[in-house]
Amino acid sequence: MDFEKILNGSRNYTFHSHTQFCDARAPMEEMVRAALAQGVEFYGFTPHSPVPVPSPCNMSRESVPEYLAEVERLRKLFADRPIRLFAGMEVDYLGPDWGAASEYFRSLPLDYTISSIHFIANQHGEPVDVDGSFDNFKRRMADLFNGDIDYVVDTFFHRTLDMIAAGGFDILGHFDKIGLNAGYYAPEIEDGSHFQGLVNKVIDEIIARGLTIELNTKSREQHGRFIPHERHLPRLIQAGVPILVNSDAHRPDRITASRDEAFRILDTLTHKHGTPLA
Ligand SMILES: [Zn+2]
Ligand SMILES: [Zn+2]
């Protein structure tokens, strides 16, 4: 999907939002009403995709047709309102057999996909969610990863590189998000050259492949940071990487959270480096 063309300069959008079919706190209709009230003109739904492992946060394969029908119903319901709705999906990458490039996801009539990592394989090859709250992360570090934070960080970024190589998606989702939980677990880890080297490898690939990324604002208020971390924005902007500001909202009152601040930062950096943004 050509986001730049669709937006035509508008900043009143979000292309990352969740639904009752996955783990949002409100039904899609309520999210659209809230988006309208917050001045959003382009609104993309991206429920967490089906995954082949038990997960309370992901939609089931059976509910996918119901989700797509609900987008259609809402398009009709809001046809005379100044908002355009998009049927997207945040597709989990779980390895070569499961991701946005898989035949199943390619066959769905979606407008676009975000590709994200929430699960990585532990040392026994079992998929473990590393994206949740820090309390859960800490417990899983002890119970499922043998306390090996370097393993978790390395595996997260190597899986991210595999996901990029597999392709088949429109937006790369929150690509250094492991820094959030890893940073709580081992406070200096993110500043280290090993961690930064891994992030920079991902950014090399983003630039080389001309990927569109998101500046995800979901963690800004609660955790004081954007995803990716602000320190990476100058390099991304200098390279002309298209960046969409997405709120990753799971609640109606979060649809435009921290958006103005995100655009202010991007504008300041763009002014400095003179590169246009998506
Ligand atoms: Zn996500
Ligand atoms: Zn999300």
Side-chain angles (χ1 to χ4, degrees), residues 16 18 46 48 90 92 114-118 131 173-174 177 214 216 218 248 250:
H16 192 157
H18 290 278
T46 48
H48 290 291
E90 183 177 15
D92 267 285
I114 298 175
S115 193
S116 302
I117 305 271
H118 305 100
D131 189 79
H174 49 68
K177 197 170 176 192
E214 63 173 8
N216 189 304
K218 182 182 172 219
D248 198 354
H250 290 64

Side-chain angles (χ1 to χ4, degrees), residues 3 9-10 28 77 83 94 100 126 140 157 162 175 183-184 196 200 224 231-232 236 243 246 248-249 262 267 278:
F3 297 98
S10 172
M28 288 158 68
L77 184 65
I83 193 164
L94 288 172
E126 301 154 350
R140 287 166 192 160
F157 285 114
D162 290 347
F175 70 81
Y184 281 128
Q196 290 305 315
N200 276 315
R231 71 174 99 200
H232 303 299
L236 291 160
I243 302 173
N246 282 335
D248 198 354
D267 284 342

Side-chain angles (χ1 to χ4, degrees), residues 84-275:
R84 207 171 141 190
L85 304 177
F86 298 88
M89 193 176 278
E90 183 177 15
V91 181
D92 267 285
Y93 180 81
L94 288 172
D97 301 330
W98 197 277
S102 304
E103 207 182 317
Y104 168 67
F105 292 108
R106 284 182 183 275
S107 76
L108 295 175
L110 297 166
D111 293 317
Y112 69 97
T113 54
I114 298 175
S115 193
S116 302
I117 305 271
H118 305 100
F119 299 86
I120 62 168
N122 72 359
Q123 293 94 326
H124 306 291
E126 301 154 350
V128 180
D129 182 356
V130 291
D131 189 79
S133 69
F134 179 60
D135 279 349
N136 284 335
F137 182 80
K138 203 164 82 179
R139 207 168 32 245
R140 287 166 192 160
M141 279 305 299
D143 298 345
L144 299 167
F145 289 108
N146 205 20
D148 191 344
I149 190 67
D150 292 331
Y151 170 87
V152 169
V153 167
D154 284 9
T155 306
F156 179 90
F157 285 114
H158 288 135
R159 183 165 273 199
T160 301
L161 290 167
D162 290 347
M163 173 172 82
I164 290 173
F169 57 87
D170 298 279
I171 302 170
L172 180 65
H174 49 68
F175 70 81
D176 70 344
K177 197 170 176 192
I178 196 66
L180 189 59
N181 274 333
Y184 281 128
Y185 190 83
E188 306 85 35
I189 197 166
E190 212 182 345
D191 300 326
S193 59
H194 184 68
F195 192 103
Q196 290 305 315
L198 290 166
V199 181
N200 276 315
K201 256 190 204 167
V202 173
I203 295 176
D204 289 343
E205 286 302 309
I206 290 168
I207 295 168
R209 291 170 191 262
L211 300 182
T212 296
I213 66 163
E214 63 173 8
L215 181 56
N216 189 304
T217 64
K218 182 182 172 219
S219 308
R220 177 61 185 160
E221 247 176 64
Q222 204 188 340
H223 302 283
R225 63 174 282 168
F226 293 100
I227 314 285
H229 194 286
E230 269 179 72
R231 71 174 99 200
H232 303 299
L233 293 174
R235 184 173 174 216
L236 291 160
I237 285 170
Q238 271 174 308
V241 172
I243 302 173
L244 293 164
V245 173
N246 282 335
S247 61
D248 198 354
H250 290 64
R251 285 174 15 201
D253 62 346
R254 308 291 300 160
I255 289 168
T256 52
S258 303
R259 188 175 68 166
D260 292 347
E261 188 191 357
F263 276 119
R264 260 199 311 277
I265 292 167
L266 292 176
D267 284 342
T268 304
L269 290 167
T270 306
H271 186 71
K272 204 166 149 191
H273 299 293
T275 310

